[in-house]
Amino acid sequence: MADTLKIVGISGSLRKDSYNTALLWAAAGLMPDGVEFNIILLHDIPLFNEDVEQHGFPSSVQHLRQAISEADAVLIATPEYNYSIPGVLKNALDWASRPGSAGEMPLSGKPLGIIGASVGAYGTARGQHHLRQVTVNTNMHPLNKPEVMITFADKKFSDGQLHDEPTRKVVRNHLEALVAWTKRLSQ
Ligand SMILES: Cc1cc2nc3c(=O)[nH]c(=O)nc-3n(C[C@H](O)[C@H](O)[C@H](O)COP(=O)(O)O)c2cc1C
């Protein structure tokens, strides 16, 4: 593993004022030293279709797959939609889960941090558990603890900034644990 650790952040929301995208930007500012962090948004990812896949991955999908391949770990910030993850996130994971022409599987073996923010009282807990289920077949390695399940996000973010200090601390702890988890898995 190189001296600088690469983490790619993926937001499960397309919303302009998304709390989850804002959470990734907060994570960028809270990242431990020695981490290069890039955020990917999913606006350009088409709906998965095996007929399209047969003609090659669309360029936005290729870009996503490459960013994941080049990263040492993935950090997903997901909303909870109807007790699950948003379709756009599942769709992107479906694209990224497919073997490439040389058999490469970008998600396989990747350490994964899962964080999420909801305006409700459960802080994406149920959606995060669905995401963990999906990561079994993609053969990712999610970090178990500390969990980041941000409740009542409208009270903790304003103007795109995560201002709630206890929440910032939990996020920071998660990032430190993700870095340690990534280093441990690379041994
Ligand atoms: C289709 C839909 C389903 C939702 N379902 C849930 C839910 O099951 N649990 C929850 O806590 N919030 C739910 N919400 C509210 C989201 O927590 C809220 O919209 C949140 O701001 C979405 O994340 P974002 O700000 O990153 O876009 C739902 C919102 C939508 C649009």
Side-chain angles (χ1 to χ4, degrees):
M1 179 171 289
D3 285 350
T4 302
L5 210 92
K6 283 190 182 174
I7 299 182
V8 64
I10 299 174
S11 172
S13 177
L14 304 183
R15 204 166 69 85
K16 177 169 53 72
D17 296 324
S18 160
Y19 296 118
N20 286 281
T21 304
L23 177 56
L24 283 184
W25 283 111
L30 294 166
M31 230 11 120
D33 289 344
V35 175
E36 185 187 313
F37 183 55
N38 290 304
I39 295 174
I40 301 242
L41 301 176
L42 302 177
H43 296 76
D44 296 335
I45 305 290
L47 286 177
F48 182 80
N49 180 337
E50 273 194 82
D51 296 336
V52 173
E53 184 193 31
Q54 275 178 7
H55 297 285
F57 294 117
S59 60
S60 60
V61 171
Q62 195 65 273
H63 175 70
L64 172 72
R65 290 172 59 91
Q66 193 170 336
I68 294 170
S69 293
E70 289 172 359
D72 298 297
V74 178
L75 177 68
I76 294 179
T78 184
E80 177 174 287
Y81 279 5
N82 296 313
Y83 291 15
S84 185
I85 55 173
V88 291
L89 177 58
K90 177 65 164 56
N91 181 60
L93 291 172
D94 288 342
W95 275 116
S97 72
R98 302 290 285 169
S101 52
E104 70 280 13
M105 313 265 281
L107 298 176
S108 186
K110 288 288 168 192
L112 171 67
I114 299 174
I115 57 180
S118 151
V119 294
Y122 295 97
T124 72
R126 297 157 298 203
Q128 289 196 23
H129 280 286
H130 257 190
L131 179 53
R132 285 178 186 276
Q133 186 181 328
V134 172
T135 64
V136 176
N137 198 45
T138 57
N139 194 31
M140 300 182 86
H141 300 302
L143 175 70
N144 286 333
K145 303 261 179 186
E147 294 168 319
V148 179
M149 296 172 172
I150 302 178
T151 58
F152 308 118
D154 48 325
K155 309 276 185 300
K156 292 168 183 164
F157 291 82
S158 54
D159 299 325
Q161 307 283 322
L162 175 61
H163 57 72
D164 184 69
E165 209 41 59
T167 307
R168 290 175 65 82
K169 193 154 185 267
V170 173
V171 174
R172 169 81 190 183
N173 290 344
H174 183 94
L175 299 174
E176 284 173 353
L178 178 60
V179 167
W181 179 232
T182 303
K183 289 181 177 166
R184 189 168 150 193
L185 288 177
S186 77
Q187 281 166 8

Coordinates of all heavy atoms in Angstrom, one line a residue, residues 15 19-20 116-126 149-158 161-164 167:
R15 N -29.8 14.8 -4.8 CA -30.4 16.1 -4.5 C -29.4 17.2 -4.3 O -28.3 17.0 -3.7 CB -31.2 15.9 -3.1 CG -32.3 16.9 -2.9 CD -33.1 16.3 -1.7 NE -32.4 16.4 -0.4 CZ -32.4 17.4 0.4 NH1 -33.0 18.5 0.0 NH2 -31.7 17.4 1.5
Y19 N -28.2 16.2 2.4 CA -27.4 16.1 3.6 C -26.3 15.0 3.5 O -25.3 15.2 4.1 CB -28.4 15.7 4.8 CG -29.4 16.7 5.1 CD1 -30.8 16.4 4.9 CD2 -29.1 18.0 5.5 CE1 -31.7 17.4 5.2 CE2 -30.0 18.9 5.7 CZ -31.4 18.6 5.6 OH -32.3 19.6 5.8
N20 N -26.6 14.0 2.7 CA -25.6 12.9 2.6 C -24.4 13.4 1.7 O -23.2 13.0 2.0 CB -26.2 11.7 2.0 CG -27.0 11.0 3.1 OD1 -26.5 10.3 4.0 ND2 -28.3 11.2 3.1
G116 N -24.5 7.7 7.1 CA -25.8 8.2 6.5 C -26.5 9.2 7.4 O -26.3 9.3 8.6
A117 N -27.3 10.0 6.7 CA -28.0 11.1 7.4 C -29.5 11.1 6.9 O -29.7 11.0 5.8 CB -27.4 12.5 7.1
S118 N -30.4 11.2 7.9 CA -31.8 11.2 7.6 C -32.5 12.3 8.4 O -32.0 12.7 9.5 CB -32.3 9.8 8.0 OG -33.7 9.9 8.4
V119 N -33.6 12.8 7.9 CA -34.3 13.8 8.7 C -35.2 13.1 9.7 O -35.7 13.8 10.6 CB -35.2 14.6 7.7 CG1 -34.4 15.5 6.8 CG2 -36.2 13.7 6.9
G120 N -35.2 11.8 9.7 CA -36.0 11.1 10.7 C -35.2 10.6 11.9 O -34.1 11.0 12.1
A121 N -35.9 9.8 12.8 CA -35.3 9.5 14.1 C -34.4 8.2 14.0 O -33.9 7.8 15.1 CB -36.5 9.2 15.0
Y122 N -34.3 7.6 12.9 CA -33.5 6.3 12.8 C -32.2 6.5 12.1 O -31.4 5.5 12.0 CB -34.4 5.2 12.2 CG -35.5 4.9 13.1 CD1 -36.8 5.4 12.9 CD2 -35.4 4.1 14.3 CE1 -37.9 5.1 13.7 CE2 -36.4 3.8 15.1 CZ -37.7 4.3 14.9 OH -38.7 4.1 15.7
G123 N -31.9 7.7 11.6 CA -30.6 8.0 11.1 C -30.1 7.0 10.0 O -28.9 6.8 9.9
T124 N -31.0 6.5 9.1 CA -30.6 5.6 8.0 C -30.3 4.2 8.5 O -29.7 3.4 7.7 CB -29.5 6.1 7.1 OG1 -28.2 6.1 7.7 CG2 -29.8 7.5 6.6
A125 N -30.6 3.9 9.7 CA -30.2 2.5 10.3 C -30.7 1.4 9.4 O -29.9 0.5 9.1 CB -30.7 2.4 11.7
R126 N -31.9 1.5 9.0 CA -32.5 0.4 8.2 C -31.9 0.3 6.8 O -31.6 -0.8 6.3 CB -34.0 0.5 8.2 CG -34.6 0.4 9.6 CD -36.0 1.0 9.7 NE -36.0 2.4 9.4 CZ -36.9 3.3 9.9 NH1 -37.9 2.9 10.6 NH2 -36.8 4.6 9.6
M149 N -24.9 7.2 12.1 CA -26.3 7.2 11.7 C -26.9 8.5 12.2 O -27.3 8.7 13.4 CB -27.1 6.0 12.3 CG -26.6 4.7 11.8 SD -27.3 3.3 12.7 CE -26.7 1.9 11.7
I150 N -26.9 9.5 11.3 CA -27.2 10.9 11.8 C -28.7 11.1 11.7 O -29.3 11.0 10.6 CB -26.5 11.9 10.9 CG1 -25.0 11.7 11.0 CG2 -26.8 13.3 11.3 CD1 -24.1 12.6 10.1
T151 N -29.3 11.3 12.8 CA -30.8 11.6 12.9 C -31.0 13.1 12.8 O -30.1 13.9 13.0 CB -31.3 11.1 14.3 OG1 -30.6 11.8 15.3 CG2 -31.1 9.6 14.5
F152 N -32.3 13.4 12.5 CA -32.7 14.8 12.4 C -31.7 15.7 11.7 O -31.2 16.7 12.3 CB -33.0 15.3 13.8 CG -34.0 14.4 14.6 CD1 -33.6 13.8 15.7 CD2 -35.3 14.1 14.1 CE1 -34.5 12.9 16.4 CE2 -36.1 13.3 14.7 CZ -35.7 12.6 15.9
A153 N -31.3 15.3 10.5 CA -30.2 16.0 9.8 C -30.5 17.5 9.6 O -29.6 18.3 9.6 CB -30.0 15.3 8.5
D154 N -31.8 17.8 9.5 CA -32.1 19.2 9.3 C -31.7 20.1 10.4 O -31.5 21.3 10.3 CB -33.6 19.4 9.0 CG -34.5 18.7 10.0 OD1 -34.1 17.6 10.4 OD2 -35.6 19.2 10.3
K155 N -31.5 19.5 11.6 CA -31.0 20.3 12.8 C -29.5 20.3 12.9 O -28.9 21.1 13.6 CB -31.6 19.7 14.1 CG -33.1 19.4 14.1 CD -33.8 20.7 14.5 CE -35.3 20.4 14.6 NZ -36.0 19.9 13.4
K156 N -28.8 19.4 12.2 CA -27.4 19.3 12.3 C -26.6 19.9 11.2 O -25.4 20.0 11.3 CB -27.0 17.8 12.5 CG -27.6 17.4 13.9 CD -27.6 15.9 14.1 CE -28.2 15.6 15.5 NZ -28.6 14.2 15.6
F157 N -27.2 20.1 10.1 CA -26.6 20.7 8.9 C -27.3 22.1 8.7 O -28.5 22.2 8.8 CB -26.8 19.9 7.6 CG -26.1 18.6 7.6 CD1 -26.6 17.5 8.3 CD2 -24.9 18.4 6.9 CE1 -26.0 16.2 8.2 CE2 -24.2 17.2 6.9 CZ -24.8 16.1 7.5
S158 N -26.5 23.0 8.2 CA -27.1 24.3 7.7 C -26.1 24.8 6.6 O -24.9 24.7 6.8 CB -27.4 25.3 8.7 OG -26.3 25.6 9.5
Q161 N -23.3 22.7 5.6 CA -22.2 22.4 6.6 C -22.7 21.6 7.7 O -23.8 21.8 8.2 CB -21.6 23.7 7.2 CG -21.2 24.7 6.1 CD -19.9 24.4 5.5 OE1 -19.0 23.9 6.2 NE2 -19.8 24.7 4.2
L162 N -21.9 20.6 8.1 CA -22.3 19.8 9.3 C -21.7 20.6 10.5 O -20.5 20.6 10.7 CB -21.6 18.4 9.2 CG -21.8 17.5 10.5 CD1 -23.2 17.2 10.8 CD2 -21.0 16.2 10.3
H163 N -22.6 21.2 11.3 CA -22.1 22.1 12.4 C -22.2 21.4 13.7 O -21.7 22.0 14.7 CB -22.8 23.4 12.3 CG -24.3 23.3 12.4 ND1 -25.0 22.9 13.6 CD2 -25.3 23.5 11.5 CE1 -26.3 22.9 13.3 NE2 -26.5 23.2 12.1
D164 N -22.9 20.3 13.8 CA -23.1 19.7 15.1 C -21.8 19.0 15.6 O -21.4 18.0 15.0 CB -24.3 18.6 15.0 CG -24.6 18.0 16.4 OD1 -25.2 18.8 17.2 OD2 -24.3 16.8 16.6
T167 N -21.6 15.2 16.4 CA -21.7 14.4 15.2 C -20.4 14.4 14.4 O -20.0 13.4 13.8 CB -22.9 14.9 14.3 OG1 -24.1 15.0 15.1 CG2 -23.1 14.1 13.1

